[in-house]
Every structure is written in C-alpha cells, then in structure tokens.
Amino acid sequence: MNVFVLDLVLVLGLSLVLTVCVARSPYQAVLQHSRIRGRQQGPNVCAMQQIKGSDKKYFTNCKQWYHRKICSKPTVITYECCPGYERIPGEKGCPAALPLVNIYNTLSVVGASTTQMYSDRAKLRDEIEGPGSFTFFAPSNEAWAALPTEILDALVSNVNIELLNALHYHMVNRRLTSEELRHGSSFASMYQDFHVHIHHYSNGVVTVNCARLIKPDQHATNGIVHVVDRVITAISNNVQTLIDVDEDLETLRVSPRVLLSLTREGQYTIFAPTNEAFEKIPKETLNRILGDPVALRDLLNYHILNQMQCAESIVSGTPMETLQGTVLEVGCDGDQMTLNGNAIVTKKDQLGTNGVIHYINELLIPDSAKTLLELADGSSVATATRLFVEAGLRAHLTGSEALTMLAPLNDAFKGSVAMTPEMRKLMTNHLLKEQLSSKSLYHGQELETLGGAKLRVLVYRNNLCIENACIAAHDKTGRYASMFTVDKVLTPPMGTIMDVLKGDDRFSILVGAVQTAGMTELLNQQGALTFFAPTNDAFTKLIKGYFRSWSVSGLDQMKLQFFIHTHTQEYLNYTIYVNKVPVAEADLMATNGVVHGINSIIKPLCESPLNPDSGPRPGPGPGLLMVVFVSPQL
C-alpha cells in the first residue's frame, strides 16, 4: 500500500472515529463518564450517584461527580454493573455479560419482576417469549408499588383487557436503543397505536412520557428492555384540552386567544397557576392585568416554555427562556420542583400530546406586566419606595405614564428619613419624564425629571451614572415605566460650583478666599471641573499652625502634581484620597462640575506619581492655599 493510500485510510478512519464521538447521545456520554469513574473497581463497573435518604440513582456526569449533589441534596457514590453485565463470585468487577434471553426472562434479572408477574396475568408471556423484535419500557418493581391502590386494582381486576392494554402501551413493535430514542420523537405503541413520547435531555436523562429510564439498553433475543421509574398511561389530549377540563385551572382560562397556541403541535411546558394562585394576588393588581391584553399576554407567556421539561429531567437549577422572552430558573430541591428557587409546584408531569403541565400555587408576574410600584416592591429599595409614596407620587408609580424611576438602595439613606418639602421635591427629581433603558444612555445626555430638573448622564470606564448616582443593578422594565437601582440619593445640580460653595456654610472661608483671589468667574463658567474644596475645618487646622495672612493669587494658573486613589471596601462603598487627604463629602453636584469637600489642606507630593524620576518639587510657601482642579471630565 503506497503512502497516499495509507494516509487516506488513516484520515477516513479518524473521520469515522470523530463522527462516532460527535454523534454519541447525551446518555451514552454520561454512561461513558460513569464507566471511567468506575473502572478502578474492575471491568464493566459504572459509578452511580445515589441521593442520600432515597433510592434514586443516576449515572454521573462530570459536574455531578465533583459537586456531589443532585437536586441540592448530597449524594453518595455507589458502584454497580454497567448495563448488560453481571458479577461473578470471587471475581473483581462485572466480567460476565448477562445471558441473552428473551424479554420475559430478561425482566426478572433487571429489577422488573413485578412487570414479569403482570405479564403472566395478562397473558402477555407468550408474546414476549416468542419471535419478534420489541421494545419494552418496563416499570420497575418500585414503580408498581408507588401506583395508587385504586388504579392498580382497576388494572388487575380485569386482566384480559385493562392490564393487557396497559402493558401493550409500554411496548413498541420494533427494537429501539437509547441512541434511537431521540429528543422530541414519538413512537406508536402496541396499544391502538397510541404514541409514547421520548425526550432525551442534554444532561443524559432519557424519559418516556416523563418516566425516567433508570436501566436503559437491556438487550434480549427478541428485543430490548428499558426499565422505567413509573407506570405510564396513554395520552390523547393536547395541553389546552387538559386546562379546559380541570376545575383547579378555571381562572387560568381567562384569555383563550392567548392560550390558543397551546392547541398547536409543538413541545411546551406550562407552569399552570391554580385558582389558589390567582386568589393570592391583590384584586386591584389582578383586575388591572386581566383588563390589559398586553400585560395579560406577557403574564401567561411567562408561564410557558417552548420546550418540554419533565420533572425527572431536572437535576439542578437551569435558566430557561419563556415565551415572554425572559428566563425562569427551573430547579429542584429533593423531590420538589422549584421555580426561581421557590418550591411552588404542587403537581408535576401532567402530560398532553404537545407538552407537559406542572401545577403551581403562586402566580408568576413578569416585570413587563408590572407598574413602577410593583417593580420596587420587595426589593432592596424599600426606603425609596416608602418615600415616593409619602411624597404623594403613588399615582405616578401606579399609572400608565412613561417614566423612569431612579431608586436609591436602602443603604444610600443614612439614619431615619422624614418627609419634608425638600425631601418631597428631591423624590420628584428621582422620576425621569420618559421610559429609558440604561443601554441607550450616553455621556453628556440631558434628562428631565418630573420636578423640572435637568440631569446629566456621565459614562465612566466602570460606571454609568446620572449625576452623582451610579446604576447598581440591571434595569427593571415594567409595563409603562422602568426602574434603575442607583447607589446614592440623587443630588441634582442647583447651580455652578460657586453657587454650591455659597449655599453651604461649611465653605464660607473658602468662598471669601476665592472672591479675594478673583476666581469667581472661573468657578461660574461652563465646563466640567472637579473641585476638592477645603471646608472651614480645614482652614481652622491650618490657622492653628502658623498662618496669619493669606495669599491666594494665581491659583488658576498653578499646576500641582496630585493623584486620586479609589479603594473599594464593599460593593458601592468607596473612599477617595487626593494626595493622601481623604474626601469628607463627595459628589456635591454643580452645573459645571462637582465639588468634593475635604477637611485638610492639600499638600503637593514631592514626587510626581506620573513621572517618578521627575525629582523633588518645592512645597508651598507660607500663605499659599492648595486647591486641586481636575478637568475636563467630572
């Protein structure tokens, strides 16, 4: 064989191997991982994870192996024979292949002896011992034991009909391996061609009619057995029909037009609010949503996934997109299915031909169906919410105006906060006169408040701010209005830097010095200055030292070397230093900049932080006031 042909053979062989690897099903990938984790125990041993305190076992994937948790519960590792193998006394691992026998005899060796017994009673034995090629989704012994007594009695009371029909529904008249049980597929059963519905999830879980395959691929001479964890029943109605006939879902049937899509073919998951769930909602809120087609559509679509998620497929919290466009965190806590971390699912896996219904006892209201007041309720802005209401702004927070609320975090308010005329005006200036998205804001943009103030948008490398208040969380977009959570109480600019200084008695000495120096015009002109302004306390400390007279001429020409250091202590808590002097009060906003109050006079560094080799710098002579301006950006 020449080199070219040899290379071609190697390439084709490698391509075939890669194709097989890529085509491997999620279940086979998890099984392979379990084999790898169990190989030190001997040949054909698989590592299983068993939830502590239960009989539930799973083949383990990499994530589960390291976390040692399933559905938030700790697991223990057990080692069992991989499918198709058995132990031999005195031998390590599982060296022997299970004997290849017919389906009837296979049932007894794979933990489905109860199914074998009922096959005898229903006169099914001859069929599954004889010629043919069948797939049998065989309920485990535990699955039969978990069946309600009245249902089991009804099945076995007339063995010639009901039990035989039930068992035939668990069978398909062809051999189907786990590889062929593809996600979303369905196959005609041997009971009046009613279909069984297969879902093969990315985490390796495979279900038939939402029953989990716990022992797949048990081969027989006349077919294959997949042991499942429950007895399945035939389905013939779509999910809309199930909703229409259930009295517990009567309130949900409020808008047939919205739910019309559930009559179509597809794969849906509906978290169906019961009548009890609707009764928990305040009448005012519920009536508003029911009377608003847009809000109602969003509300209902928030309860629907455009994919089918059986409860058994969930082994950890996973974000899933709803038809409304946002996500629900679908998870589990032991046997409880959870939504957004809450165990509110009361009934699971009510299966229809085009989806599955899980009943919930709490209504899920998306932000897009909420008013401003509802957006703020129960969040980290409770103090601001109370102040908005006390300021007489409730009508704006519950109406249909296009607004954006700037809601400071609770920590932004220091001590007890009383409602005063000034506070009422301030809260009015926390409402912007249009509905905005933070993603559309740009530097220098001017925003108008409900109180008539003009606010500037300031874009920094790591922050997006409106005046002194920086956005601290993702937007909440409601039905008509939006909410920005901000880290500080807003201080709208009430004038120029000079106006700010004049309006605060703490800067009276500085104001006199600035006027003496002829700098008033500088502090009044347009621009974007940052002024580190010494308070009266700073001057008092200096006077006690050695100054008797002041010379502040030429300050606007002075070029000082300085640095600003920001140290984050906690989320949104910071301290600013200028030449090692801490800022006592930050962010006094002005129309042409910002003032930071400092309680010490700034002294220049002997060495420039921007140029360490620049050599020493002379300090100020007696009578020279040190003030730092930073421009052009706030």
Side-chain angles (χ1 to χ4, degrees), residues 582-594:
V583 170
E585 181 162 359
D587 298 334
L588 302 174
M589 305 306 292
T591 56
N592 60 342
V594 62

Side-chain angles (χ1 to χ4, degrees), residues 49-58 70-71 73-76 334:
Q49 291 209 56
Q50 180 174 351
I51 300 176
K52 285 185 178 179
S54 81
D55 295 326
K56 298 185 75 169
K57 297 178 183 179
Y58 295 81
I70 291 175
C71 287
K73 301 299 180 183
T75 62
V76 293

Side-chain angles (χ1 to χ4, degrees), residues 51-52 54 56 58 69-74 311-318 329-345 348:
I51 300 176
K52 285 185 178 179
S54 81
K56 298 185 75 169
Y58 295 81
K69 281 189 176 182
I70 291 175
C71 287
S72 305
K73 301 299 180 183
E312 285 297 326
S313 71
I314 309 297
V315 296
S316 62
T318 306
E329 182 79 12
V330 182
C332 53
D333 186 5
D335 289 334
Q336 295 289 317
M337 194 174 185
T338 62
L339 291 181
N340 294 338
N342 300 316
I344 61 175
V345 177
K348 300 179 287 188

Side-chain angles (χ1 to χ4, degrees), residues 302-319:
Y302 189 52
H303 291 76
I304 303 171
L305 309 177
N306 197 18
Q307 56 184 300
M308 185 163 160
Q309 285 304 144
C310 296
E312 285 297 326
S313 71
I314 309 297
V315 296
S316 62
T318 306

Side-chain angles (χ1 to χ4, degrees), residues 254-267:
V254 291
S255 181
R257 289 174 299 174
V258 175
L259 294 174
L260 185 61
S261 61
L262 301 182
T263 63
R264 303 169 188 159
E265 290 187 6
Q267 296 290 306

Side-chain angles (χ1 to χ4, degrees), residues 406-427:
L406 305 180
L409 291 163
N410 294 334
D411 292 344
F413 296 92
K414 307 303 179 184
S416 59
V417 183
M419 183 51 59
T420 63
E422 292 76 17
M423 178 58 73
R424 184 172 291 106
K425 177 69 173 177
L426 180 60
M427 297 313 295

Side-chain angles (χ1 to χ4, degrees), residues 381-400:
V381 295
T383 302
T385 305
R386 173 178 63 82
L387 292 173
F388 279 120
V389 173
E390 291 180 0
L393 298 169
R394 185 184 181 89
H396 296 286
L397 272 56
T398 58
S400 58

